[in-house]
Amino acid sequence: MLDLKYLRDHLDEVERRLQQRGGELNLSGFRDLDQRRRALLQEAETLKAERNQVSALIGRTKDKSQVQGEIARMKEVSERIKGLDAELKSAEEALQALLMQIPNIPHEQVPVGQSENDNLEVRSWGAPPRFSFTPKAHWDLGEELGIIDFERAGKITGARFSLMRGAGARLERALINLMLDLHTQEHKYVEVLPPFMVNRDSMTGTGQLPKFESDLFHTDDVDFFLVPTAEVPVTNIHRDEILAAAQLPISYTAYTPCFRKEAGSHGRDVRGLIRQHQFNKVELVKFTRPEDSDAELQSLLGHAEKVLQILELPYRVVDLCSGDLGFSAARTFDIEVWLPGQQAYREISSCSNFRDFQARRAGIRFRREEGAKPEFVHTLNGSGLAVGRTLVAILENHQQEDGSVVVPGALRPYMGGLERIGKS
RNA sequence: GGAGAGGUGGCCGAGUAGGUCGAAGGCGCUCGCCUGCUAAGCGAGUGUACGGGGUAAACCCGUACCGAGGGUUCGAAUCCCUCCCUCUCCGCCA
C-alpha cells in the first residue's frame, strides 16, 4: 500500500512511475474520493466535539429538567453524526479499496521495460554442462530411477501433484536441511516453522489479498488460506508491532510447503515438477531500516546464490524490468538455474525488496530511538531456494549417461553418504 | 465437541446502580536533582492513528481507539447482541 499523503501530494509522479509497470492503472477517482473523505471527516468531527461538550454539561447538571432542550438538540446532532459516519465509512472503504489495488512504485534503479524479455542479466555463474549424450528431462530420469511417481500422485490427488519415493524423497528432505543449515549457520538467519494456513489479515498484509484471491487455496468451514509461500506467515510475524531499532535487521528463514492454484497457467509446464500445486520452499525474510534495504537485498540474493554454488548448479541473475515486477515488489532479482532437459534457464528464486509497501499494509514499524516517531520498516524476501526445482536441477545437471545421478559433494552428508542415485 | 472464567496503555493491575476516564496505582523507561561509587530517594515526563492549524521540526486544537464489529443512550471501558482469542475442567486425539 502506498502512503496516502504521498499519493495526495505526488499523484502525477506516482501515476507516471506506475505506468512503467504496464497494465491498466486507474487513479482518476482518487482525488475526489480523498477530498470527499476529508470533508465528511471534518464535518462529523466538529459535530462530535460539540456533542462531547454538551454531554459533559448535561452530566454535570443535577437537575435534568434544566437541560431537556440540550438533550433534544443532541438527539438530532447524534442522528446527523450517524448519517455522516455512514457516508464517511463508505468513502473510506472505497478509498481503501482503491489503495489496496495500487501496486508498489518501482525502485529508481529498476530497468524500464514491458515484459520478461526486457529483464537485464546481471551475472552468471558456472557453465552449462556439456554432455556426450542427449540429456534427459527430469521427469524421465525421475520415473526411470523410480524416485518420482507422477501417475500415482494423479490418482491420489490430481494433476500437478507428485509423489517422491526412496532416494527422491530423501533428496527433497536433504535439500531442505542443507538450505536451512546454510542459512542459519553461515548466514545467521533465525529458523522459524510457521503455520501453513493463515488468516485473511495476513494475506492482506503481504499483498496477496484482495487482488489475487483466485490464486489461493481456501478452507471451506473457516476463513483460512493455505500459504502460497512462507513469505506470508513469516512477514506477518511482526504485523502490528513496533520494533526497536536495535533489533534490526531481523533475518528469518523458514521451510514450508507452498500451495498455489496456478490458475491461468494451463498448458504451461504440464510435465514434471516445475509447476505444482504443492511444492517445498525454503524462504529468506528480512526486516530492515529503510536506508539498509538496498544493501540487504544484495546480501539476501547472495545467500540464495550460495545454495546453487554449493550444489554446483549453473545459474544467472536477472534484474526484473518494471513490466515484470510483482504487485508488491519495488525491486526484484530472479535467480534462474540452467536446466539441460529444457536447454533453458528457469526461475528458481525470486528476491525482492518491498520497501515499506508490505510494512504499511501490515503495520510493521520501528523506532529509531526512545520516544521517536514510529517509522515503517522495509521488508524483503527471497527463495533460498525452491526445493522442487532445485531437485530438478540436480537431476538434470548431474545426470550420467547410464541414467544415474551423481549427488553433489555438499549434499552427501545429508544423503547418508550416498554418492550416486541409481536404479534400485 | 460440552461446561466455566477472562480479554484495559511496554508490562502488572484498578475501574460495572453509564457521565468530569486516554483511563487510578505500581513496575519499566526517559530527563533532571541528590548521594565518594552503586543501590535507594526526590521531581517531571512517558500511546497510536486520522483531520485542522502552524516558522510544517518543535508545538497547538479536534476526533477515534479499554480484543473486533454492531446496538441502546444526550453520553459507554462500563448495558445488550454477534464474532475472535486466551485460560481451567471434561471428552476426543498425534
Side-chain angles (χ1 to χ4, degrees):
Chain A
M1 189 163 66
L2 302 181
D3 179 26
L4 181 63
K5 286 177 190 143
Y6 185 85
L7 188 58
R8 185 183 295 153
D9 296 337
H10 304 84
L11 193 60
D12 293 339
E13 184 200 335
V14 170
E15 204 153 25
R16 181 177 58 72
R17 294 186 59 192
L18 287 179
Q19 257 145 17
Q20 297 174 350
R21 283 175 163 272
E24 83 290 357
L25 173 75
N26 191 3
L27 300 184
S28 58
F30 173 78
R31 192 90 68 183
D32 285 348
L33 214 49
D34 179 51
Q35 274 168 6
R36 180 172 151 73
R37 171 182 164 268
R38 279 186 290 167
L40 286 166
L41 187 63
Q42 281 175 43
E43 197 181 345
E45 288 192 346
T46 304
L47 289 176
K48 283 179 186 174
E50 188 192 356
R51 183 178 69 184
N52 286 345
Q53 274 197 327
V54 175
S55 290
L57 175 73
I58 294 169
R60 281 192 302 270
T61 306
K62 297 282 192 305
D63 180 1
K64 300 298 184 209
S65 67
Q66 289 179 1
V67 289
Q68 282 311 311
E70 310 295 344
I71 290 177
R73 195 161 64 80
M74 284 309 105
K75 199 179 175 89
E76 281 171 39
V77 168
S78 275
E79 282 306 310
R80 283 182 58 201
I81 288 173
K82 208 171 187 172
L84 286 168
D85 274 348
E87 281 186 77
L88 184 62
K89 190 180 172 189
S90 75
E92 267 173 351
E93 281 171 355
L95 189 63
Q96 192 70 5
L98 179 64
L99 281 175
M100 293 301 242
Q101 299 284 337
I102 302 173
N104 201 357
I105 299 170
H107 190 286
E108 307 70 55
Q109 289 162 19
V110 166
V112 176
Q114 308 268 309
S115 72
E116 58 182 333
N117 300 321
D118 301 315
N119 293 344
L120 229 66
E121 180 173 326
V122 177
R123 61 177 163 270
S124 64
W125 184 92
R130 310 176 68 148
F131 296 98
S132 58
F133 55 95
T134 306
K136 294 174 180 168
H138 70 277
W139 51 80
D140 288 332
L141 285 163
E143 295 201 335
E144 286 165 22
L145 289 168
I147 59 174
I148 312 176
D149 188 339
F150 291 106
E151 207 173 313
R152 288 202 177 91
K155 173 174 71 181
I156 298 166
T157 308
R160 293 200 189 283
F161 285 87
S162 58
L163 170 68
M164 311 300 283
R165 179 197 294 269
R170 177 79 186 255
L171 183 56
E172 184 92 11
R173 176 162 60 91
L175 285 169
I176 294 167
N177 285 334
L178 177 143
M179 291 178 198
L180 287 174
D181 284 351
L182 175 71
H183 297 315
T184 54
Q185 289 163 27
E186 304 294 319
H187 303 147
K188 304 303 175 196
Y189 287 69
V190 174
E191 182 175 349
V192 293
L193 185 62
F196 300 161
M197 289 193 260
V198 301
N199 60 29
R200 199 165 275 278
D201 284 344
S202 292
M203 281 295 183
T204 306
T206 35
Q208 281 75 19
L209 292 181
K211 228 181 158 179
F212 306 105
E213 184 155 358
S214 60
D215 297 339
L216 302 168
F217 285 104
H218 180 258
T219 54
D220 247 355
D221 46 350
V222 280
D223 194 19
F224 291 157
F225 297 88
L226 273 60
V227 297
T229 158
E231 162 192 353
V232 179
V234 176
T235 304
N236 277 282
I237 288 174
H238 295 298
R239 171 152 52 85
D240 294 326
E241 290 185 11
I242 300 175
L243 305 163
Q247 292 175 261
L248 302 176
I250 294 172
S251 304
Y252 292 126
T253 184
Y255 152 74
T256 69
C258 304
F259 303 91
R260 299 183 183 180
K261 278 196 177 169
E262 296 295 346
S265 66
H266 307 294
R268 296 177 59 196
D269 303 313
V270 287
R271 293 197 75 181
L273 290 175
I274 294 293
R275 197 171 298 275
Q276 301 268 290
H277 286 309
Q278 175 189 321
F279 62 95
N280 293 311
K281 184 156 59 68
V282 169
E283 187 76 359
L284 304 170
V285 175
K286 285 181 188 251
F287 303 80
T288 77
R289 300 177 191 225
E291 63 271 29
D292 298 332
S293 66
D294 285 346
E296 292 287 350
L297 177 60
Q298 292 306 322
S299 86
L300 186 149
L301 176 62
H303 298 150
E305 285 179 64
K306 184 76 182 176
V307 179
L308 290 168
Q309 293 170 12
I310 284 176
L311 296 173
E312 304 161 43
L313 296 169
Y315 67 86
R316 64 177 186 180
V317 176
V318 166
D319 189 354
L320 293 202
C321 75
S322 55
D324 203 24
L325 279 179
F327 179 79
S328 302
R331 184 147 213 222
T332 299
F333 291 95
D334 275 4
I335 304 174
E336 300 179 339
V337 70
W338 176 256
L339 295 185
Q342 303 191 5
Q343 289 291 301
Y345 283 103
R346 293 301 305 263
E347 178 186 334
I348 196 165
S349 173
S350 193
C351 301
S352 302
N353 181 0
F354 301 91
R355 291 191 154 170
D356 60 3
F357 188 83
Q358 293 181 325
R360 181 171 288 106
R361 287 180 163 235
I364 309 169
R365 295 177 291 174
F366 79 105
R367 258 188 249 276
R368 285 187 188 275
E369 53 200 66
E370 274 282 328
K373 276 201 183 65
E375 298 173 51
F376 290 109
V377 301
H378 280 194
T379 61
L380 302 88
N381 68 58
S383 351
L385 307 163
V387 180
R389 289 187 181 184
T390 306
L391 186 143
V392 166
I394 286 173
L395 294 186
E396 294 196 3
N397 281 282
H398 297 315
Q399 64 178 294
Q400 307 297 307
E401 188 159 16
D402 65 0
S404 67
V405 172
V406 171
V407 177
L411 202 52
R412 290 177 190 168
Y414 292 92
M415 292 290 288
L418 188 69
E419 294 179 8
R420 180 187 289 255
I421 300 173
K423 287 187 182 121
S424 52

